[in-house]
Amino acid sequence: GGKCNSLPYPTIMMDVYHPDTGKRVSFVSLALGKLHSVGLTHHGELYSWGSTASGRCGHGDLGGSASTVRSALKLRNGVSLPKRIEALRNVKVVDVSAGDAHTLALSGSGRVFSWGNNASGQLGVGHSMHLISPRLIADLEFGQIARGFAKGELSEAASAESQSQLHSSSRDQGSSSDIGMDHVGHLGAALAPIHYPSSPQKKATQRVGGSDPVPPRICSIHASGAYSAAVSTTGDIYSWGCGDGNQLGHSHSGPGPVPDLPNAERMSVPRTGIGQRIRDVKSFDSKLNVLLPRRVDCLRHFGLKAESLVTSSNFMLAICSKLDMDKDSSAEDEESYLMGRTLYELENDRRERGLDRIRLLRGVQSQDIDEN
């Protein structure tokens, strides 16, 4: 803190003072990237210092004015003294982790924020553009996702393709507008609210006072190299970012390149919420980049759940325990698995169900036309 040259021996950092109260700040946890550092205080505030390239310190447009637009790639200066991350000043942070050039923060309620370099999708926000200030990873908001879908709220990204397929099908068959609207009604039934299965007995962590099951939340975060990972309260691991070395734990089609994945260099950030989101892409130097959090499903195939996770820049290690195999526990595990689905998984599940319904209706309509 305060020095810009290398030091051959341990040196006490300069004192850091709170920008509002003027009191000295004490750190309880630290996270180190390649060229930046992040400190967590006992009040749940984050301070960062070091290189600001790619926005890895999370301070936004340092030194810029309202009329000046600066790319994250142009933020080449550094912060020599710990500076509070203002974007998170109203969030109580309980954990922080840093990769080579990106940072993750975990709030007390299980919300995950990310910022910094995003060339490989390691921020988990659905694109590969750098972020100079913290942004919430919405796909890990299991509670909000469950509440939204339980109310029948279908996102535009999930519904747009199904609706367009439906209308194109009606046009192809020469249907009237009334028939098209009737098909829309059938599609609405196909996209009915998701109801999670219930079982007679639940653990205290899943049910509170006989109420509805409590969705899982993220309890630990891990940023390493150019990828990220998180562990939920149900023992599921989610990972995203660069998967070229198989460090994410996701299967792909063989050891060679994956030809059917879209190229990340040709993608841009959508200006609206309409359109299908893309999770898995490739780039010029990686055969698999995961732009959104993706669950490591092989753990459940082995009957395991993660208790602890450690990561390096090239691989992960997890300490696991066995899932309970009795009837009640199996029902609970199935319920927790469903409630632990990301927003991307639910969107695609809804989309596929809608398209299956459209195919069925198209087949029935064709049969009626043939009979007439």
Side-chain angles (χ1 to χ4, degrees):
K3 296 193 179 290
C4 300
N5 55 323
S6 60
L7 298 174
Y9 49 84
T11 302
I12 298 177
M13 283 181 55
M14 298 179 64
D15 289 339
V16 181
Y17 296 94
H18 196 278
D20 298 331
T21 64
K23 295 182 179 180
R24 192 173 68 175
V25 171
S26 298
F27 294 118
V28 296
S29 179
L30 297 171
L32 305 180
K34 265 191 173 181
L35 297 173
H36 76 292
S37 306
V38 188
L40 173 65
T41 73
H42 64 285
H43 290 301
E45 293 183 320
L46 284 182
Y47 290 71
S48 64
W49 61 100
S51 171
T52 56
S54 305
R56 69 192 73 187
C57 280
H59 297 306
D61 188 8
L62 289 175
S65 62
S67 61
T68 303
V69 178
R70 299 171 65 194
S71 168
L73 291 173
K74 296 180 181 178
L75 294 177
R76 299 298 185 185
N77 298 324
V79 178
S80 59
L81 290 174
K83 177 181 174 65
R84 185 175 67 175
I85 300 178
E86 296 297 329
L88 296 176
R89 64 184 180 277
N90 294 323
V91 177
K92 184 174 178 58
V93 178
V94 297
D95 194 13
V96 62
S97 183
D100 283 352
H102 74 289
T103 312
L104 300 179
L106 177 67
S107 74
S109 60
R111 309 177 82 186
V112 183
F113 299 84
S114 63
W115 63 93
N117 189 290
N118 194 31
S120 300
Q122 57 263 51
L123 300 187
V125 292
H127 57 76
S128 57
M129 297 184 67
H130 308 325
L131 296 178
I132 62 178
S133 59
R135 180 173 298 182
L136 176 69
I137 302 180
D139 275 68
L140 296 177
E141 285 277 271
F142 305 118
Q144 294 292 340
I145 292 170
R147 284 189 288 271
F149 274 83
K151 294 178 182 177
E153 297 174 359
L154 180 64
S155 70
E156 292 179 343
S159 62
E161 181 181 351
S162 298
Q163 294 287 358
S164 62
Q165 289 279 352
L166 174 64
H167 295 314
S168 64
S169 173
S170 299
R171 289 193 299 269
D172 293 341
Q173 297 295 342
S175 304
S176 66
S177 60
D178 293 338
I179 295 177
M181 291 305 295
D182 181 63
H183 281 220
V184 171
H186 288 295
L187 179 60
L191 300 178
I194 295 175
H195 297 285
Y196 297 103
S198 59
S199 56
Q201 296 180 357
K202 296 295 167 187
K203 295 180 181 178
T205 56
Q206 289 296 313
R207 288 190 183 274
V208 180
S211 61
D212 292 335
V214 178
R217 61 182 179 84
I218 299 301
C219 58
S220 70
I221 53 174
H222 308 269
S224 296
Y227 75 98
S228 305
V231 181
S232 72
T233 52
T234 53
D236 286 313
I237 297 176
Y238 300 82
S239 60
W240 59 96
C242 179
D244 191 57
N246 300 319
Q247 60 266 46
L248 299 182
H250 306 310
S251 59
H252 56 82
S253 56
V258 185
D260 56 336
L261 292 181
N263 197 313
E265 283 77 16
R266 299 178 182 176
M267 295 177 57
S268 61
V269 181
R271 296 184 181 274
T272 67
I274 299 176
Q276 182 178 357
R277 296 193 300 164
I278 297 177
R279 183 187 63 186
D280 302 335
V281 299
K282 62 182 178 181
S283 64
F284 74 96
D285 62 347
S286 175
K287 58 188 176 185
L288 175 63
N289 286 342
V290 180
L291 305 182
L292 293 166
R294 179 177 172 183
R295 180 157 42 185
V296 181
D297 285 321
C298 64
L299 284 182
R300 288 194 175 259
H301 296 162
F302 294 138
L304 300 173
K305 60 181 179 180
E307 300 290 347
S308 178
L309 180 70
V310 291
T311 61
S312 75
S313 58
N314 296 312
F315 63 94
M316 295 188 291
L317 290 177
I319 298 176
C320 301
S321 61
K322 290 185 177 181
L323 292 170
D324 295 330
M325 303 306 294
D326 59 88
K327 184 176 180 180
D328 291 339
S329 296
S330 297
E332 179 180 344
D333 290 335
E334 178 64 20
E335 182 175 36
S336 67
Y337 179 82
L338 291 174
M339 297 193 74
R341 288 184 292 179
T342 64
L343 180 59
Y344 177 87
E345 291 179 271
L346 286 169
E347 285 175 348
N348 278 274
D349 179 66
R350 286 287 183 87
R351 185 180 299 107
E352 288 301 320
R353 288 166 55 191
L355 293 178
D356 288 342
R357 182 63 175 171
I358 291 171
R359 297 185 189 102
L360 177 61
L361 294 174
R362 181 184 297 173
V364 172
Q365 188 179 24
S366 299
Q367 183 178 359
D368 292 341
I369 294 175
D370 294 340
E371 290 176 357
N372 293 332

